[in-house]
Amino acid sequence: MNILEFANPQGWWWAALALPVIGFYILKVRLRRQPVSTLLFWDRVFDEKKPRAWWQQLRHWLSLLLQLALLFLLVGAVVDPLWSWQKNQRRKLVLVVDNSASMAADEMGQTRLQLAKETAAALIRSLRVGDEMAVLTAGGKSAVAIGLTSHGRSLLEALDQIPQTDAPAALPSAVATAKRLISDSEQSQIIVLTDGCDPTTGDLQQDPRVLLYGFGSTQDNLAITQYQVRRSLLDAIGYQVLVEVSNLSDHSRNCRLELTLDDDLVDVVPLELEPGESKTLNLDQSSAMGGRLVAQLDQQDGLALDNRALAVLPTRRRLPVILVTPGSLFLKSVFESIPLVELTVLKTLPADWTTRPDQIVVLHQAVPAQLPVGKLLVIGPRKDCELWSVGDLLDSPLVGSVDETSSIMQHVRLSNVLFPGARDLTFVGDSISLVKTAYDEPLLSQLRRPQGDALVLNLNLDQGDLPLRIAFPVLMKNIVEWFQGPQSELLPALATGQSTVIRLPAVAASMRPATTTNPLFPEAAGEQGSPKMEVVTAEHGNANLASFLLRSPSGKLTPLARTESMATIASLTECGLWTIGTSAALQADPWISEKMDQDAAPKSLQAKEEQDDEVIHFASNLCNLDESDLTPRVTLQSPSDFGMLSLGGRSIWFYLVLGGLILASVEWWLYQRRMVG
């Protein structure tokens, strides 16, 4: 049995306003004095308007009834009547708003997310008394914008603060979270506002508690669906670009792909794509400076976000090489021909062997008894030292075998090549023979030692034709790159919505510089020596441990979950350039969101290297074929249906107020038509 109850019974006191309304209708109107020339006219007036009883004063009875009805409708709205089933069956509603990248598509001047917010606001305003609602988002990962509450203003504020993300949709996880919020409540509903571009949308329709409403129309779209860049394995300053462009429309499209490095045009590739076709391009370029490598399509379509992709090309670091030789033009020329090598030539051995960690020392013929620490290449040794002893000359030192698995020997052809002047070397400790004769006599050896590995090339460069062969400069280049190691390797461009773990800047994280002179440069008088690095020991919670921040492409700063050397990033929700560094390093960083300050940008390779030591830059792009396809995967209900706006169930007071407005309009119409009185 439906029993009518009242949420605000004190509101019935407003019904007392009926008394003054009736009083106005029975109130006698005081006659105004009016001088006339004769009483004949007043006699006629009294004859027509004879005195009547007070109840006869209710001459405008229809107007009075309308006024009283209007008053009681308004009073009824104030007391807020509820049916008993309405009060006992309070519902829990969860609103899931899709704020993924595809919801940024333009729909007649508004984005799909803006349309969804307008519909969600209307739904919040239509909630019944006692109903509770939560608002969840599904862009990149599910998140609770506001928990279950019946406070309409809080719900509207949380809805207004939902951001547009550049990440793919995460509807299944959002719906799973919504189910945990409403648990097993029978009077519950999950309302999903989406554009249907997520392939998992169809699976959600199988759940009777989930209602899906769609926004947006099918649109043509050109998109960059893959984009990566890497340093070349063959060229020290080269890099390779992988880019895929997809035509997500039902007709052919022509476009141009423009490639820029720090706003300098690098390449332009014309493309012609059939409907549904994807083309993959592999482009080779060269630059030691590094910077922001941007791929841009010259087309305007439904979704501008996937027409641009960004990758960060690392700076190729210069490698200092100290060559100690009595005067070999072959060695000097070959090292000068290797890109990024900073060569310093010395004729005699320095007295102090203090070296930089990134330096390579090349000793030609003359060898000290105590070898220097660090990266060391010895060519044609003639004296003993702590790592080997020198014997007699080898007879016919012809190359017999080569370790082709080593990176040092890549693209080096030494079969049957003579190594004149090679001597019988006996090594102390661990050694690996990369090149040896048919009798297993070492010609090129790798020596392992705690203070830095060493390579020993056993030949006399002044004899034979090896320095004139192409294999010699290739071998020297491989040795330099082997010593250089994997430094300047880039971080791959990540997809939005992805989580990642990144190693923090080593110099900024745990070291501070202290300058000292370098005895390896006695000829460079007055030149500042290389900095030594002092490790800062910091225990957990120590103030000396640097505090790192993550800066998003939009400039938002957030603390990082980190260990002493690694940082974890939960989810990337924006496309563009991300930066990791300390607060001071970020303030000095010349990169500003998606635009670089040209006046503050590093102009030299050295400035680039110093910048890379302080901060880490990496890029994120949409590169998601499903998200770029703006065609709904399933047919969804239209949000314009009346059922959408009445999901909350209009309360009785709404209809009472609506009836009052109708009565007021009727009364006004009757007065204008002079049907009253």
Side-chain angles (χ1 to χ4, degrees):
M1 180 177 180
N2 291 333
I3 301 175
L4 196 62
E5 301 182 11
F6 305 101
N8 183 29
Q10 293 84 359
W12 283 117
W13 286 104
W14 289 98
L17 291 175
L19 298 177
V21 172
I22 297 174
F24 284 128
Y25 273 85
I26 66 176
L27 184 65
K28 283 189 176 182
V29 180
R30 184 176 180 180
L31 299 179
R32 189 177 49 167
R33 292 181 177 273
Q34 179 66 40
V36 295
S37 59
T38 175
L39 295 177
L40 177 62
F41 299 106
W42 287 114
D43 293 337
R44 182 177 300 176
V45 170
F46 286 127
D47 290 339
E48 292 178 356
K49 297 184 179 181
K50 297 180 179 179
R52 300 178 182 178
W54 67 269
W55 60 84
Q56 293 177 325
Q57 302 297 327
L58 301 178
R59 299 181 301 278
H60 306 285
W61 59 270
L62 181 57
S63 177
L64 176 60
L65 290 178
L66 290 175
Q67 295 289 340
L68 292 177
L70 174 60
L71 175 64
F72 280 101
L73 286 174
L74 296 178
V75 172
V78 171
V79 298
D80 198 2
L82 296 171
W83 297 109
S84 58
W85 64 266
Q86 226 177 349
K87 184 176 181 180
N88 297 330
Q89 297 181 359
R90 296 179 177 179
R91 301 179 304 171
K92 294 181 179 180
L93 304 176
V94 179
L95 185 63
V96 178
V97 179
D98 183 1
N99 60 336
S100 62
S102 61
M103 293 291 284
D106 182 74
E107 298 286 344
M108 304 298 290
Q110 284 186 297
T111 65
R112 295 175 176 180
L113 180 60
Q114 290 173 335
L115 296 175
K117 284 186 175 183
E118 291 177 359
T119 301
L123 175 59
I124 292 173
R125 294 187 183 97
S126 69
L127 290 177
R128 299 193 306 233
V129 174
D131 285 347
E132 290 183 318
M133 175 180 280
V135 179
L136 274 63
T137 60
K141 63 178 182 178
S142 62
V144 179
I146 186 172
L148 286 170
T149 180
S150 58
H151 191 250
R153 181 179 299 176
S154 298
L155 289 168
L156 291 174
E157 290 177 354
L159 177 68
D160 185 62
Q161 293 175 3
I162 292 178
Q164 173 70 64
T165 70
D166 300 336
L171 291 178
S173 60
V175 171
T177 304
K179 290 179 179 179
R180 289 193 293 269
L181 285 175
I182 61 178
S183 67
D184 297 329
S185 176
E186 296 181 359
Q187 303 299 323
S188 61
Q189 200 79 54
I190 300 174
I191 305 162
V192 180
L193 307 181
T194 180
D195 56 3
C197 293
D198 187 356
T200 63
T201 307
D203 300 334
L204 301 178
Q205 290 182 318
Q206 309 302 322
D207 193 329
R209 291 194 298 175
V210 178
L211 296 178
L212 290 99
Y213 291 87
F215 299 84
S217 57
T218 300
Q219 297 188 39
D220 295 338
N221 192 29
L222 276 175
I224 298 175
T225 49
Q226 286 190 46
Y227 187 64
Q228 288 293 346
V229 61
R230 71 172 185 179
R231 279 294 182 183
S232 173
L233 301 178
L234 303 177
D235 185 359
I237 60 174
Y239 60 91
Q240 298 172 322
V241 182
L242 170 69
V243 58
E244 181 187 69
V245 181
S246 301
N247 179 18
L248 304 172
S249 60
D250 56 1
H251 59 275
S252 301
R253 298 286 296 271
N254 295 325
C255 66
R256 293 192 309 172
L257 178 70
E258 298 178 354
L259 200 66
T260 59
L261 180 61
D262 283 349
D263 298 328
D264 294 329
L265 186 62
V266 174
D267 200 356
V268 178
V269 182
L271 295 173
E272 182 176 353
L273 299 171
E274 298 298 324
E277 182 184 6
S278 297
K279 283 189 177 180
T280 302
L281 306 174
N282 291 284
L283 308 175
D284 293 311
Q285 303 293 337
S286 62
S287 172
M289 285 289 290
R292 298 182 313 163
L293 192 65
V294 178
Q296 178 79 48
L297 296 176
D298 65 340
Q299 295 286 319
Q300 293 184 351
D301 47 33
L303 187 63
L305 181 64
D306 52 18
N307 292 342
R308 184 178 187 272
L310 170 69
V312 178
L313 185 67
T315 304
R316 274 300 197 197
R317 294 181 177 274
R318 298 166 302 169
L319 188 63
V321 175
I322 308 299
L323 174 60
V324 183
T325 177
S328 173
L329 294 178
F330 292 118
L331 283 177
K332 182 175 182 295
S333 299
V334 75
F335 281 112
E336 286 178 341
S337 67
I338 300 175
L340 303 180
V341 166
E342 286 187 344
L343 182 63
T344 300
V345 180
L346 303 178
K347 293 183 178 181
T348 59
L349 296 172
D352 194 335
W353 283 106
T354 303
T355 60
R356 290 167 48 179
D358 59 341
Q359 270 181 351
I360 299 176
V361 176
V362 182
L363 302 180
H364 180 213
Q365 297 181 353
V367 177
Q370 185 71 30
L371 295 176
V373 300
K375 304 168 183 177
L376 180 65
L377 171 62
V378 180
I379 302 175
R382 296 182 177 180
K383 295 182 179 180
D384 298 342
C385 67
E386 83 266 20
L387 292 183
W388 64 77
S389 59
V390 179
D392 297 332
L393 292 173
L394 299 177
D395 294 332
S396 300
L398 194 67
V399 174
S401 62
V402 175
D403 184 2
E404 296 182 353
T405 61
S406 173
S407 60
I408 296 176
M409 304 310 300
Q410 285 186 356
H411 311 290
V412 179
R413 299 292 178 260
L414 295 176
S415 300
N416 298 322
V417 174
L418 188 67
F419 273 49
R423 295 176 178 270
D424 184 15
L425 297 180
T426 303
F427 294 107
V428 178
D430 295 336
S431 65
I432 301 174
S433 295
L434 303 179
V435 180
K436 53 188 177 181
T437 67
Y439 300 100
D440 291 338
E441 296 162 327
L443 298 177
L444 176 60
S445 303
Q446 175 185 348
L447 308 181
R448 297 188 181 278
R449 55 179 189 160
Q451 61 270 38
D453 286 0
L455 291 176
V456 180
L457 182 59
N458 186 11
L459 85 163
N460 189 339
L461 291 179
D462 298 329
Q463 302 175 7
D465 63 347
L466 179 59
L468 303 178
R469 291 173 177 262
I470 190 64
F472 185 68
V474 174
L475 177 62
M476 292 296 104
K477 171 180 174 293
N478 289 348
I479 289 175
V480 168
E481 292 182 352
W482 180 79
F483 276 127
Q484 188 178 26
Q487 59 179 308
S488 295
E489 289 302 316
L490 59 84
L491 292 172
L494 304 174
T496 52
Q498 183 178 348
S499 301
T500 186
V501 177
I502 294 179
R503 183 175 297 277
L504 295 171
V507 173
S510 59
M511 299 180 180
R512 52 175 177 256
T515 59
T516 180
T517 57
N518 193 332
L520 274 184
F521 294 91
E523 300 175 355
E527 183 177 348
Q528 182 66 38
S530 62
K532 290 183 177 180
M533 296 302 173
E534 179 184 355
V535 178
V536 179
T537 58
E539 298 179 356
H540 181 71
N542 194 319
N544 290 331
L545 189 62
S547 176
F548 281 84
L549 300 173
L550 174 67
R551 185 175 69 186
S552 70
S554 62
K556 181 180 179 182
L557 297 176
T558 54
L560 278 175
R562 53 159 295 195
T563 62
E564 290 188 2
S565 60
M566 306 297 292
T568 301
I569 301 175
S571 180
L572 303 173
T573 57
E574 298 180 37
C575 290
L577 185 72
W578 295 76
T579 310
I580 294 177
T582 61
S583 178
L586 291 178
Q587 291 178 3
D589 183 21
W591 299 94
I592 302 175
S593 186
E594 285 283 35
K595 182 179 180 181
M596 187 166 75
D597 186 348
Q598 297 297 331
D599 295 332
K603 300 298 183 182
S604 66
L605 196 59
Q606 181 179 1
K608 276 279 193 180
E609 293 173 3
E610 293 174 355
Q611 173 187 323
D612 293 342
D613 285 338
E614 296 295 329
V615 296
I616 290 179
H617 294 114
F618 62 97
S620 63
N621 304 301
L622 179 59
C623 290
N624 188 299
L625 188 62
D626 291 330
E627 202 69 23
S628 295
D629 189 353
L630 302 181
T631 302
R633 306 302 191 271
V634 294
T635 302
L636 303 177
Q637 300 182 55
S638 172
S640 60
D641 294 341
F642 178 76
M644 176 65 199
L645 299 180
S646 62
L647 282 173
R650 300 290 188 181
S651 298
I652 298 177
W653 67 262
F654 173 82
Y655 300 102
L656 293 176
V657 172
L658 183 62
L661 293 175
I662 294 174
L663 286 180
S665 301
V666 171
E667 202 277 338
W668 176 86
W669 182 80
L670 290 176
Y671 178 80
Q672 294 296 325
R673 301 292 297 176
R674 301 194 181 279
M675 296 180 63
V676 178

